[in-house]
Amino acid sequence: MSLVLHDYELDADCYMVRLFLSILGITAETIAVDVHPGHEQRSPVYLALNPRGSLPILVAGDLVLTEAEAILCYLARSEAAGSPFLPDEAAAFGAVMSWLFFARGPLGAATAARLTAMLEAPGDPETLERQARAAFRVMEDHMTSRHLSGASWFVGDGPTLADIALFPPIVLSRDFGIDHDEYPALRRWMRRMRTIPGFITMPGIPDYH
Amino acid sequence: MNLVEGWYAVAIADDIEPGTSAGTRLFDRELVVWRDLAGVSHVWEDRCPHRGMRLSFGFVRGNHIACLYHGWAYDTAGQCRAIPAHPDLAVPETIKVATYHSAEASGLILVHSSLGAEAPPPPAPAPTGRALRSLYVDLAPDVVAERLLRDFTALDDGSYAGTLAGAPVLVFLQPFTATRTGLHLVLAGPGDSVAVSAAAEALRNAFEASSAPALEAAE
């Protein structure tokens, strides 16, 4: 089935979907949406497609999907042979889903902080930065424990949707003034993310490292 | 507690893998910690002399670190050796990054905080130990030092000896900024590293929680 991704190059959630499409080796038609300064995602045409006025939007035939994490799950489930990125086994599935909700919940402050800093979105930068640092600390402590236990990824023995969903907010955190100085375990994990076949970057993520 | 010029841990040695770099701070000064492909670690001022970009954003190639902005490449002595935009230029000796004295001991990367000056020898390594992890506390270094002294003993090498999750540990304190403190944790005997790490997180959280009302009162 042909896929159409309504996309904005600088949007971290859109990058999350582009990254997973690339890892799966799926080519989607992308339509560039003028988010800044045009706010095209909230134009009447786009509100008809997605009343939430958000990106990304994935269109697969008659199906219109919004919310990046939901799109990741759809893409993983659509793989004919299943995908190790969304494990079937209950405990691993639950752990992945827990991190996906974390990505959209507490870690959402990082995404909001970046949009406030870069694209003049409303929000209190100080509050968002404090919340983002609290979320990053949760991730850092988790990956420190994982490293001390000999594990490399957020869940299980290989990369999952948890890693894909948690990666953009922290790797782009310098866009809103949070350095990676305090996150040695996340630095190690972010370097490992680059080894996933099909890994791609976006503006703000150096090709070199 | 006397947080003065001297040797301080700034990273767990294993956290700076060969061919990688990271930024850190000591007394609010920005430092880059990087390890060349030969395995030698370096600690420099985190500033490319060209445009002031943090070198920790850059990338290590062989035994050079290159700036992310324009690729100016520096050898292990901090001397600029290549400017990609001027490939035929003999790079002047004056283009040099300020370097700190650094050493590795007890599985830590230690740096002497006085830039450029002669440095006394670094602290002797702990006889046995495994460097576990770094933590960062949202409190002033002297406040963290005072809190540590309630349960830990200050040693001559600047570390704090105590017990976490029933295991003997050494904690090395890094004055990060005026409001943040790094702690580098060494397991100094037998112990469950994951449990010790979790106990250190609990200690960090307790420090911050107990100090929050005091901060408000001070305002």
Side-chain angles (χ1 to χ4, degrees), chain B residues 114-208:
Chain B
S114 60
L115 187 64
E118 289 292 310
T128 58
R130 179 189 168 202
L132 284 189
R133 67 168 299 182
S134 305
L135 303 95
Y136 297 86
V137 191
D138 282 347
L139 289 172
D142 57 339
V143 173
V144 174
E146 186 272 323
R147 289 291 275 111
L148 276 171
L149 283 173
R150 294 185 199 172
D151 300 307
F152 288 66
T153 307
L155 301 185
D156 288 342
D157 65 2
S159 68
Y160 299 80
T163 304
L164 285 174
V169 297
L170 295 172
V171 177
F172 290 78
L173 185 150
Q174 174 185 359
F176 195 79
T177 67
T179 56
R180 287 185 202 172
T181 305
L183 297 177
H184 305 279
L185 186 64
V186 175
L187 183 57
D192 175 345
S193 60
V194 174
V196 170
S197 171
E201 289 165 14
L203 190 70
R204 172 199 64 198
N205 297 346
F207 284 6
E208 290 178 349

Side-chain angles (χ1 to χ4, degrees), chain B:
Chain B
M1 182 59 210
N2 208 7
L3 294 171
V4 295
E5 297 286 336
W7 286 95
Y8 290 96
V10 293
I12 302 294
D14 283 349
D15 282 344
I16 310 295
E17 296 174 317
T20 69
S21 61
T24 190
R25 288 169 192 259
L26 187 60
F27 293 113
D28 211 14
R29 298 190 287 260
E30 292 181 341
L31 275 56
V32 54
V33 186
W34 68 282
R35 191 182 295 284
D36 61 38
L37 285 181
V40 180
S41 59
H42 309 273
V43 183
W44 297 355
E45 192 173 63
D46 195 9
R47 201 121 323 264
C48 178
H50 180 216
R51 300 301 292 268
M53 177 66 173
R54 288 190 81 176
L55 283 170
S56 55
F57 287 28
F59 46 95
V60 179
R61 290 290 180 270
N63 291 332
H64 290 66
I65 186 167
C67 181
L68 183 66
Y69 265 14
H70 306 99
W72 290 29
Y74 300 88
D75 70 15
T76 53
Q79 176 65 50
C80 184
R81 291 297 179 194
I83 297 177
H86 301 282
D88 299 328
L89 180 75
V91 181
E93 296 286 316
T94 49
I95 303 180
K96 199 171 187 304
V97 183
T99 60
Y100 286 88
H101 295 280
S102 62
E104 294 194 26
S106 311
L108 304 167
I109 296 178
L110 303 160
V111 58
H112 196 273
S113 58
S114 60
L115 187 64
E118 289 292 310
T128 58
R130 179 189 168 202
L132 284 189
R133 67 168 299 182
S134 305
L135 303 95
Y136 297 86
V137 191
D138 282 347
L139 289 172
D142 57 339
V143 173
V144 174
E146 186 272 323
R147 289 291 275 111
L148 276 171
L149 283 173
R150 294 185 199 172
D151 300 307
F152 288 66
T153 307
L155 301 185
D156 288 342
D157 65 2
S159 68
Y160 299 80
T163 304
L164 285 174
V169 297
L170 295 172
V171 177
F172 290 78
L173 185 150
Q174 174 185 359
F176 195 79
T177 67
T179 56
R180 287 185 202 172
T181 305
L183 297 177
H184 305 279
L185 186 64
V186 175
L187 183 57
D192 175 345
S193 60
V194 174
V196 170
S197 171
E201 289 165 14
L203 190 70
R204 172 199 64 198
N205 297 346
F207 284 6
E208 290 178 349
S210 69
S211 299
L215 279 177
E216 279 167 22
E219 287 165 4

